[in-house]
Amino acid sequence: MPSARTIVNLVSLSRIAFGLLFVVCFQRHTTLLAISSGICIAAFATDRLDGYLARKLNVASVYGRLWDSLGDKAFYCAAIVAFNGQAFLNPLISWALIVREVALYITRILYIENLPKIEQNRPLTKLHGYCMCLTIVLGLFRMYAITEHLPIEVYPYMQGTALASLIFGMGSLIHYLRIR
């Protein structure tokens, strides 16, 4: 039987598989859109579940936070790739968001001894995450509008939330580098 810590880390890492499935399923087809929506719900649920389980089972750790962060970044990058593949996001914004995700993860690994201080950075990181989630929801809604032939324009709102996510994300990265 796997340890409690292993189970929590596997929940975190499940978002990597969810990201791969999202990239494959995010297509202009009603059934695949429904599957993509379910994958997003599962990914968002595991993001909440891993932290809850880590605290409940008393296995929270700095390394667990890194696994959680890897799962988050893998899913965010998958959504960005899927949206870029459908021309839902500006390529430059897509590139910058992916670079930010990779840069923050590498920075956290390089300065792991300062990871507990990240709590000072929580507001910007949370705003980045909320804007990314909103961008993902808008991307799903845009695909729904396309598949159902609805005359609703979502593109500018997606660009806006993605840009806000990038700004908050870069702010959190800069703030984190100043902590070290």
Side-chain angles (χ1 to χ4, degrees):
M1 174 97 181
S3 70
R5 185 179 309 263
T6 300
I7 291 169
V8 171
N9 290 339
L10 288 173
V11 170
S12 295
L13 294 174
S14 70
R15 288 191 295 284
I16 295 172
F18 289 140
L20 173 65
L21 291 172
F22 186 81
V23 170
V24 170
C25 292
F26 191 73
Q27 303 294 323
R28 295 172 193 242
H29 188 277
T30 305
T31 303
L32 291 175
L33 175 59
I35 293 169
S36 296
S37 299
I39 291 167
C40 279
I41 291 168
F44 293 152
T46 62
D47 191 24
R48 297 290 166 241
L49 182 62
D50 59 4
Y52 171 79
L53 288 175
R55 288 184 295 278
K56 186 82 170 164
L57 300 173
N58 201 26
V59 294
S61 70
V62 171
Y63 292 107
R65 289 177 75 177
L66 288 174
W67 291 123
D68 174 59
S69 184
L70 179 61
D72 293 345
K73 286 164 189 358
F75 191 78
Y76 288 165
C77 288
I80 293 164
V81 167
F83 293 159
N84 194 53
Q86 295 290 333
F88 282 18
L89 276 180
N90 176 290
L92 189 57
I93 292 174
S94 298
W95 171 82
L97 282 167
I98 290 171
V99 167
R100 183 269 174 192
E101 295 300 327
V102 172
L104 183 61
Y105 195 75
I106 290 170
T107 302
R108 285 180 177 171
I109 290 170
L110 291 175
Y111 301 104
I112 195 166
E113 69 278 358
N114 292 326
L115 200 55
K117 293 181 186 177
I118 197 97
E119 291 306 317
Q120 299 172 19
N121 202 18
R122 199 52 112 178
L124 288 174
T125 302
K126 287 273 188 200
L127 287 170
H128 163 74
Y130 293 145
C131 289
M132 274 304 301
C133 289
L134 185 54
T135 301
I136 291 168
V137 169
L138 287 171
L140 290 168
F141 182 72
R142 182 165 187 214
M143 186 61 85
Y144 175 78
I146 289 170
T147 58
E148 298 299 319
H149 308 289
L150 301 175
I152 300 171
E153 185 51 53
V154 180
Y155 184 82
Y157 302 105
M158 276 190 76
Q159 303 315 297
T161 58
L163 188 57
S165 178
L166 179 60
I167 290 167
F168 290 128
M170 292 306 296
S172 71
L173 180 62
I174 291 166
H175 186 266
Y176 185 73
L177 289 172
R178 290 175 57 211
I179 289 173
R180 63 170 202 89

